[in-house]
Amino acid sequence: RDSGNWGRMEGVVMQLKEIDAGLEVLEHEKVLTVEAWEAALAGVEGLAFAKNLLFKDKNGKLIHIVALNSTEIDMKVLSLRLGLGKKHPRMAPAEALQTVYQVEAGCLTPLALCRPEAKDVVLLLDERLKEEQKVLFHPLRNDRSVVISTGTLEAYLSKIGRQGTYVDFQKKDFKLGKDNPPDLKPLLDAAQAYELGSDGAGDSKKGGKKAKGGKKGDQGSKGGALPAGDDVHALLREIQESLAPGQQMEAKVSKDLESRLNAFKNIAYTRGYKAARAEIRAHLN
């Protein structure tokens, strides 16, 4: 048994069983992406897989999105609706998983919002989740899955004093105006910011200063700023631009590559965090 997360997982499962006595818990190999998750449970029919995305806005506020894997999220539109303008939220640093959710990479789940540290996370739920009778979520560890309905999820969130906001991510024609203000902005306004380290994109409070001897945004490249090494979206754009003129990466390939790159990034963060912690403990001892 993995003693690190097992007891906490059992507590979450117990709370879910108080809502749904017939709760089904599935065992499978550890998975880091939704694609690997689907492959691990390929023999089970009638299940919907939910992807979990964690973003940090320019002010350090966390936004947790839970959506069907097939749902495409237009960050440009979402940023407008959140009142962030053109400053799109970025992927949150892996530190948020350890300090806020207290789970490992690949285990992000709305069920971890029971943590007191997660009380200020803004939770956005895909409207399309309501169309599914059985949706899979990790109960704090990624070698187990619980099969629940959105009704059970809502009841669980209510039980832990939380509430999610359903969003139609298919909405693409949102335009700001006097009579059409950012509808999701009040959610961010009501949330408190988190003091997290840099996500590698240069937007941390300490890392926002320009380097000596260069202009703002210049990272030593003659052709302009280079994308941060862990900025997955920038890397995907760079890969797309490297293709021959007229060629486009298939949407499925792009989505799979993005998931894998994010998984690698989270693993790297986690390993770096553990190595640094071990180094500090060694010096203290």
Side-chain angles (χ1 to χ4, degrees):
R1 277 192 179 186
D2 177 3
S3 59
N5 272 341
W6 184 260
R8 295 195 292 268
M9 185 205 79
E10 285 186 330
V12 169
V13 169
M14 187 180 300
Q15 287 187 323
L16 288 171
K17 284 186 175 181
E18 291 177 0
I19 301 168
D20 178 7
L23 178 75
E24 188 175 4
V25 182
L26 305 178
E27 296 186 19
H28 50 77
E29 63 189 54
K30 285 190 174 184
V31 292
L32 288 173
T33 67
V34 178
E35 287 71 26
W37 197 8
E38 290 175 332
L41 294 174
V44 186
E45 298 181 354
L47 302 178
F49 293 80
K51 59 185 175 185
N52 288 263
L53 305 171
L54 187 61
F55 295 97
K56 179 168 72 74
D57 77 353
K58 60 184 179 181
N59 299 313
K61 297 181 179 182
L62 293 178
I63 305 157
H64 183 168
I65 295 177
V66 181
L68 290 180
N69 192 36
S70 58
T71 297
E72 293 186 5
I73 299 170
D74 189 325
M75 293 306 297
K76 181 178 179 181
V77 173
L78 183 60
S79 295
L80 291 175
R81 296 181 66 180
L82 287 167
L84 298 174
K86 295 182 180 180
K87 295 185 178 180
H88 300 180
R90 298 176 183 269
M91 296 298 293
E95 178 190 351
L97 292 179
Q98 291 125 18
T99 61
V100 179
Y101 288 83
Q102 299 169 32
V103 297
E104 297 180 359
C107 302
L108 182 61
T109 169
L111 302 179
L113 291 172
C114 59
R115 309 292 194 215
E117 293 81 1
K119 65 183 179 65
D120 282 302
V121 174
V122 174
L123 178 63
L124 303 182
L125 303 172
D126 183 5
E127 188 77 33
R128 295 179 61 212
L129 287 169
K130 294 179 180 180
E131 302 170 6
E132 304 294 336
Q133 293 183 343
K134 296 181 178 181
V135 185
L136 290 172
F137 294 99
H138 289 314
L140 309 188
R141 51 186 290 170
N142 58 357
D143 60 354
R144 300 289 190 279
S145 296
V146 291
V147 184
I148 62 177
S149 65
T150 52
T152 298
L153 175 61
E154 291 168 12
Y156 171 82
L157 291 173
S158 177
K159 193 179 183 68
I160 61 175
R162 295 303 311 272
Q163 183 178 8
T165 300
Y166 283 100
V167 178
D168 180 8
F169 291 113
Q170 306 293 95
K171 190 175 183 178
K172 307 294 184 184
D173 57 349
F174 184 85
K175 292 183 179 180
L176 287 176
K178 184 178 179 180
D179 299 321
N180 193 33
D183 57 323
L184 300 177
K185 185 175 183 296
L187 297 175
L188 279 184
D189 290 343
Q192 296 294 318
Y194 285 87
E195 291 292 336
L196 297 171
S198 171
D199 58 4
D203 64 344
S204 70
K205 293 180 180 178
K206 294 182 179 179
K209 296 181 180 179
K210 63 181 181 180
K212 292 182 179 179
K215 296 180 180 179
K216 185 177 180 180
D218 182 11
Q219 297 183 27
S221 171
K222 200 170 184 179
L226 291 172
D230 59 358
D231 189 335
V232 171
H233 292 100
L235 184 55
L236 283 173
R237 287 195 298 271
E238 185 179 302
I239 293 173
Q240 179 62 58
E241 291 169 359
S242 69
L243 298 177
Q247 286 189 333
Q248 288 287 329
M249 193 186 305
E250 292 184 10
K252 184 177 180 181
V253 174
S254 178
K255 182 183 291 186
D256 181 60
L257 182 58
E258 181 181 354
S259 295
R260 291 174 185 272
L261 287 173
N262 275 319
F264 287 140
K265 183 182 78 170
N266 288 336
I267 291 172
Y269 272 136
T270 301
R271 288 177 177 173
Y273 169 80
K274 289 181 178 177
R277 184 173 60 182
E279 185 76 14
I280 292 171
R281 282 180 175 173
H283 281 293
L284 291 176
N285 294 334

